[in-house]
């Protein structure tokens, strides 16, 4: 098969989870029916056959929900322990990350959730991951080496790192590279004179009580959002809340896709303005 592929000379791009198409993108839901969702300007379509987009899957990939026929993005609000300004920024981050495959023109922002213990940082990370790229590996400890981060990035669209306190100086540049795209080389196993090139391009989601970032390049690539303190009466059982979210997930997912379709409809000719936060 390898020889036949080499002789044919037909080179095809193969993507994980999200792939570009003319005028939009396709998402592999990751289910047993190989369902895809196609999003273009003003339109969201469920594709069960006929797509020529090629995806690969890993053993840790988990399925996204089949979008509901009618979306309801307002349902997401009950799970967001954020003020209105930060809610808008979070939805902007989710829709951008969901709509952009790993391509040289894609620059991901590193999402940083900050808050005291008990404000629901890990739960919100779960929600975000379940809406973009569900995985059998949810929260990871921060990698010790650049190679560990690069290997994890091969089979994920988003990586979630929990309880971050600081970033080792040697990994700061690697995190910046993961946001904009780059490559990491290492020696091939059992070889002294061959290199393996690992592509390093992935959306990062970090959370912590008060992580300290000092490198200017890394700070510029981060979107910090602060979760508000919860009163005792506002706290809910996390297991019950997770069950509620699972029931709402198809409606929220469709709401996000509908919003992206509207954005694509108006994206051409739009002008980006810099807004200074008070």
């Amino acid at each position: 098969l390898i020889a036949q592929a080499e002789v044919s000379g037909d080179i095809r791009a193969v993507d994980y989870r999200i792939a570009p198409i003319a005028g939009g993108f396709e998402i592999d839901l990751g289910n047993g029916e190989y369902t895809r969702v196609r999003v273009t300007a003003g339109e969201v379509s469920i594709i069960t056959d006929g797509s020529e987009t090629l995806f690969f899957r890993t053993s840790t990939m988990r399925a996204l929900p089949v979008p509901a026929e009618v979306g309801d993005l307002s349902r997401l609000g009950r799970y967001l322990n954020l003020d209105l300004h930060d809610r808008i920024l979070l939805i902007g981050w989710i829709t951008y990350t969901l709509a952009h495959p790993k391509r040289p023109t894609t620059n991901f922002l590193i999402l940083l959730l900050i808050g005291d213990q008990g404000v629901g940082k890990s739960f919100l990370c779960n929600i975000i991951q379940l809406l973009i790229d569900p995985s059998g590996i949810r929260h990871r400890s921060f990698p010790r080496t650049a190679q560990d981060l690069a290997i994890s990035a091969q089979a994920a669209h988003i990586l979630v790192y929990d309880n971050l306190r600081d970033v080792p100086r040697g990994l700061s540049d690697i995190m910046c590279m993961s946001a904009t795209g780059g490559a990491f080389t290492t020696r091939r196993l059992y070889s002294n004179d061959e290199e393996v090139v690992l592509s390093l391009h992935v959306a990062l989601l970090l959370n912590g009580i008060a992580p300290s970032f000092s490198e200017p390049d890394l700070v510029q690539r981060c979107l910090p959002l602060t979760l508000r303190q919860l009163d005792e009466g506002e706290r809910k059982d996390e297991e019950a809340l997770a069950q509620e979210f699972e029931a709402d997930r198809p409606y929220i997912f469709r709401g996000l896709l509908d919003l992206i379709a509207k954005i694509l409809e108006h994206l051409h000719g739009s002008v980006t303005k810099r807004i200074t936060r008070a």
Side-chain angles (χ1 to χ4, degrees), residues 117-149:
Q117 185 175 359
V119 298
K121 299 186 297 296
S122 296
F123 182 77
L124 182 52
C125 285
N126 285 340
I127 285 176
I128 295 170
Q129 187 172 29
L130 287 169
L131 290 172
I132 299 175
D133 183 23
S135 171
I137 305 174
R138 289 200 174 183
H139 300 173
R140 309 165 185 254
S141 58
F142 199 73
R144 294 183 178 181
T145 67
Q147 182 176 349
D148 291 339
L149 179 60

Side-chain angles (χ1 to χ4, degrees), residues 97 102 108-110 133 149 152-159 161 175 177-181 199-204:
T97 305
K102 296 179 183 182
F108 292 115
L109 268 177
I110 300 171
D133 183 23
L149 179 60
S152 298
Q154 302 303 298
H157 189 72
I158 175 176
L159 291 175
Y161 292 107
M175 290 177 64
M177 185 188 298
S178 72
T180 57
S199 174
L200 181 56
H201 199 192
V202 70
L204 293 178

Side-chain angles (χ1 to χ4, degrees), residues 175-208:
M175 290 177 64
C176 293
M177 185 188 298
S178 72
T180 57
F184 175 82
T185 60
T186 185
R187 183 174 62 84
R188 184 181 295 277
L189 195 61
Y190 308 123
S191 171
N192 291 321
D193 58 357
E194 290 188 60
E195 282 188 326
V196 175
V197 180
L198 300 176
S199 174
L200 181 56
H201 199 192
V202 70
L204 293 178
L205 170 53
L206 318 173
N207 79 64

Side-chain angles (χ1 to χ4, degrees), residues 11 37 46 48-49 57 105 131 169 189 202 261 265 270 277:
I11 300 175
V37 176
I46 310 298
T48 55
D49 58 61
R57 295 181 176 182
T105 54
L131 290 172
R169 188 177 185 88
L189 195 61
V202 70
E265 199 172 13
S270 62
R277 185 174 181 178

